[in-house]
Structures are given as C-alpha cells and as structure tokens.
Amino acid sequence: QVQLVESGGGLVQTGGSLTLSCVASRRSFTIVPMGWYRQAAGNERELVASITRSSERTKYADSVKGRFTISRDDAKNAVYLQMNNLKPEDTAVYYCNWDPPSDAYWGQGTQVIVSS
C-alpha cells in the first residue's frame, strides 16, 4: 500500500515562507495528478493546489493564488508546496493526496501556524 508522508510545516510570522514536501512510497502513485489540501480548525478540508502528471498545468484556490507554488519531482516520488507571503488565514494542517483524493491515503499532515 502506498504511503504519503508530509513534512516541512512549522511556525512562521506573517509574510514568511515555508516549503512543504510530500513523499510517496511508490512511484506509480506519483505520476497522476497530485494536490495539496488543508484543513483549518472548524473548517472543511479544501484543495489549495494541484498539479498534472506532466507538470504542465497547475491550479490554485483563489485564496492562495500568487502566493503558493506547487511542483513535483517524479524521480523522487515527491510533491512540493512553496508558500510565500503567509497569512494567519493560512494556518491549518496541510495534506497531500491525489486530485481527486483517495480517502484511504490521507496521511498525518503537517501543521502550519502563521502568527500575526
């Protein structure tokens, strides 16, 4: 069974940056569209960014557009999320998964806290 492991979260100040990483245990699961999701306290989990198999197309939620960049390195079975100009509203637990997601493969996520 594939495992998705997120890392890179932490505590940053408003305006700071973080890079999140997601590594999959099987390459075959990283050649399909992948996404980053987040869930803030009291909110539903939402898709914030996704990337196609070929890395030719990306999409972003309006709330993060222009600030976040998703990328992938299939040779490393990895997907990344570069987050710049972070805002307190970005505080959440961030998860990676396929796009659309598979409910069986949600990992533990990585927590991002942005202080004001």
Side-chain angles (χ1 to χ4, degrees), residues 22 33-37 47 49-51 70 79 95-99:
C22 170
M34 299 293 295
W36 280 97
Y37 304 77
L47 176 68
S50 65
I51 186 167
I70 187 171
V79 183
Y95 304 86
C96 65
N97 208 317
W98 294 266
D99 180 19

Side-chain angles (χ1 to χ4, degrees), residues 28-42:
S28 61
F29 283 85
T30 62
I31 61 175
V32 297
M34 299 293 295
W36 280 97
Y37 304 77
R38 69 184 182 189
Q39 186 169 24

Side-chain angles (χ1 to χ4, degrees), residues 80-96:
Y80 308 99
L81 186 67
Q82 176 66 49
M83 306 186 296
N84 297 323
N85 192 25
L86 284 161
K87 305 177 184 298
E89 305 88 84
D90 297 318
T91 295
V93 177
Y94 285 72
Y95 304 86
C96 65

Side-chain angles (χ1 to χ4, degrees), residues 12-18 67 82-87 114:
V12 298
Q13 296 185 56
T14 296
S17 299
L18 284 173
R67 299 188 296 118
Q82 176 66 49
M83 306 186 296
N84 297 323
N85 192 25
L86 284 161
K87 305 177 184 298
V114 184

Side-chain angles (χ1 to χ4, degrees), residues 2-6 22-37 47-55 57-59 70-74 77-81 95-102 105:
V2 68
Q3 288 184 291
L4 300 173
V5 180
E6 303 95 341
C22 170
V23 179
S25 61
R26 292 179 59 185
R27 180 185 180 276
S28 61
F29 283 85
T30 62
I31 61 175
V32 297
M34 299 293 295
W36 280 97
Y37 304 77
L47 176 68
V48 298
S50 65
I51 186 167
T52 63
R53 292 176 292 175
S54 65
S55 298
R57 299 187 67 180
T58 57
K59 63 180 181 181
I70 187 171
S71 62
R72 67 191 301 164
D73 185 341
D74 290 335
N77 300 335
V79 183
Y80 308 99
L81 186 67
Y95 304 86
C96 65
N97 208 317
W98 294 266
D99 180 19
S102 174
Y105 297 113

